[in-house]
């Protein structure tokens, strides 16, 4: 995985040995998403999942140390090449947790032969908010999570 920080944006990309449809489906189908969207040693519990333009998702990532909740609002889902959404920390009841900044995320899926590269740009309200995410360990967490996706795609 490569990661860059540019002002208020965190940009990462990773290439998978899978078709663009397989990778896109892993992000947009509940039964696949909950199998991999968490760091190693954690689990994902999906309460609501409607990964379509105008849809929402609400899920928990549970580790032995704690549980974090996420609320996602999908703005554009163009199968199989692009997803745009807002991601927010949430309360256990599914409400936005306004104590932490949300992210505006743009995901692009590009197929090259039998490989697919995913590029994700996370836009934060400020440069400081992006740095806060880096300080909270987003890079290590994303690497571990994408390792889980790679294992799923190898099945």
């Amino acid at each position: 995985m490569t990661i860059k920080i540019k002002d208020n944006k965190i940009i990462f990309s990773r290439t998978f040995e899978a078709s663009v449809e397989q990778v896109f489906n892993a992000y947009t189908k509940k039964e696949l998403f909950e199998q991999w969207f968490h760091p190693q040693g954690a689990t994902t519990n999906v309460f609501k999942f409607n990964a379509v333009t105008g849809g929402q998702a609400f899920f928990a990532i549970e580790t032995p140390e704690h549980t974090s909740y996420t609320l996602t609002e999908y703005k554009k889902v163009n199968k199989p090449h692009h997803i745009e959404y807002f991601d927010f920390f949430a309360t256990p009841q599914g409400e936005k947790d306004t104590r932490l900044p949300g992210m505006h995320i743009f995901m692009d899926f590009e197929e090259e032969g039998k490989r697919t590269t995913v590029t994700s740009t996370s836009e934060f309200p400020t440069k400081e908010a992006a740095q806060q995410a880096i300080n909270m360990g987003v890079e290590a967490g994303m690497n571990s999570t994408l390792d889980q996706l790679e294992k799923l795609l190898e099945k």
Side-chain angles (χ1 to χ4, degrees):
M1 181 179 92
T2 62
I3 189 164
K4 294 186 289 187
I5 302 166
K6 186 176 180 183
D7 297 320
N8 64 329
K9 298 177 180 80
I10 299 174
I11 304 162
F12 77 81
S13 65
R14 181 142 168 192
T15 301
F16 299 94
E17 299 290 332
S19 72
V20 69
E21 288 84 8
Q22 288 173 297
V23 179
F24 192 89
N25 287 342
Y27 278 89
T28 58
K29 301 225 178 277
K30 176 185 181 279
E31 65 275 8
L32 297 172
F33 181 87
E34 62 192 353
Q35 292 181 54
W36 73 271
F37 199 82
H38 49 265
Q40 188 172 3
T43 58
T44 299
N45 187 4
V46 176
F47 305 107
K48 180 179 184 179
F49 198 83
N50 190 20
V52 298
T53 299
Q56 287 190 334
F58 172 50
F59 57 92
I61 297 177
E62 300 173 13
T63 69
E65 296 81 29
H66 73 283
T67 300
S68 66
Y69 297 89
T70 300
L71 180 64
T72 300
E73 297 174 348
Y74 294 96
K75 297 302 173 192
K76 285 185 197 166
V77 179
N78 297 326
K79 185 177 184 177
H81 296 290
H82 182 75
I83 303 171
E84 177 186 345
Y85 61 98
F86 286 94
D87 222 13
F88 302 96
F89 286 97
T91 67
Q93 296 77 32
E95 302 296 324
K96 289 178 194 173
D97 184 344
T98 57
R99 296 174 297 164
L100 294 165
M103 298 178 279
H104 189 184
I105 300 173
F106 303 86
M107 299 196 69
D108 292 295
F109 301 77
E110 185 178 337
E111 191 168 45
E112 303 155 15
K114 295 183 179 183
R115 303 172 78 188
T116 299
T117 299
V118 178
T119 301
S120 176
T121 302
S122 299
E123 186 177 274
F124 292 83
T126 64
K127 184 176 181 176
E128 293 76 22
Q131 188 60 52
Q132 180 183 14
I134 293 292
N135 296 346
M136 290 173 64
V138 73
E139 183 175 3
M142 188 53 65
N143 253 326
S144 182
T145 298
L146 292 176
D147 288 348
Q148 298 290 96
L149 174 55
E150 194 162 49
K151 287 177 192 170
L152 175 68
L153 294 169
E154 289 172 353
K155 291 182 182 178

